[in-house]
């Protein structure tokens, strides 16, 4: 089991930027794919982006493609989400998740076995 702690959320105006971080402990971070999901009030948790164990494969939801960038630093056991051009519809709690394997196997939550507690991102118009 891996423990995940997100940070970097906050309040930002539309068009602004934030960088979320997720630091892992408890197992070999570099062996696993990582992902970010988000959940807005009254909505289901949705996929945002994911990255394979070595960063060779990345995947983005259409709604964030071209604005968000996922990256990882295996030496620091940390995955990042750089969010640029933020929109009010990006407002949500953002969750970091660790995959069940090294390879990126898909966007559904069942492909991820460990979750962080979430960090709030609020974008004002």
């Amino acid at each position: 089991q891996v423990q995940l702690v997100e940070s970097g959320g906050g309040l930002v105006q539309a068009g602004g930027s934030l960088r979320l971080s997720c630091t892992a402990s408890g197992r070999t971070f570099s062996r696993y794919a990582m992902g970010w999901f988000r959940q807005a009030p009254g909505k289901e948790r949705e996929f945002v982006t994911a990255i394979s164990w070595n960063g060779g494969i990345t995947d983005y939801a259409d709604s964030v493609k071209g604005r968000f960038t996922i990256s990882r630093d295996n030496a620091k056991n940390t995955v990042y989400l750089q969010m640029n051009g933020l929109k009010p519809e990006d407002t949500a709690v953002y969750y970091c998740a660790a995959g069940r394997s090294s390879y990126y196997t898909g966007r559904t939550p069942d492909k991820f076995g460990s979750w962080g507690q979430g960090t709030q991102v609020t974008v004002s118009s």
Side-chain angles (χ1 to χ4, degrees):
Q1 193 76 2
V2 65
Q3 290 75 47
L4 303 171
V5 178
E6 302 99 334
S7 61
L11 174 64
V12 64
Q13 289 187 333
S17 298
L18 282 174
R19 188 175 82 155
L20 305 184
S21 299
C22 171
T23 301
S25 62
R27 68 180 190 190
T28 307
F29 173 80
S30 62
R31 294 181 180 175
Y32 297 93
M34 297 295 296
W36 288 95
F37 289 74
R38 66 186 181 186
Q39 187 166 18
K43 295 187 177 181
E44 293 186 354
R45 189 170 299 190
E46 66 173 355
F47 171 81
V48 176
T49 180
I51 188 168
S52 61
W53 70 277
N54 64 351
I57 296 174
T58 58
D59 186 22
Y60 296 91
D62 288 344
S63 58
V64 307
K65 198 171 294 183
R67 299 187 298 123
F68 290 12
T69 302
I70 189 171
S71 62
R72 66 189 297 162
D73 185 340
N74 287 342
K76 295 182 178 180
N77 283 5
T78 301
V79 61
Y80 303 98
L81 179 61
Q82 178 66 44
M83 305 185 293
N84 299 327
L86 283 161
K87 305 175 181 180
E89 51 263 43
D90 294 318
T91 295
V93 177
Y94 283 70
Y95 297 91
C96 171
R100 297 184 185 275
S101 73
S102 303
Y103 303 99
Y104 173 55
T105 57
R107 299 180 169 190
T108 55
D110 65 295
K111 300 296 195 294
F112 297 84
S114 299
W115 296 80
Q117 82 289 349
T119 185
Q120 177 71 45
V121 171
T122 302
V123 184
S124 63
S125 58

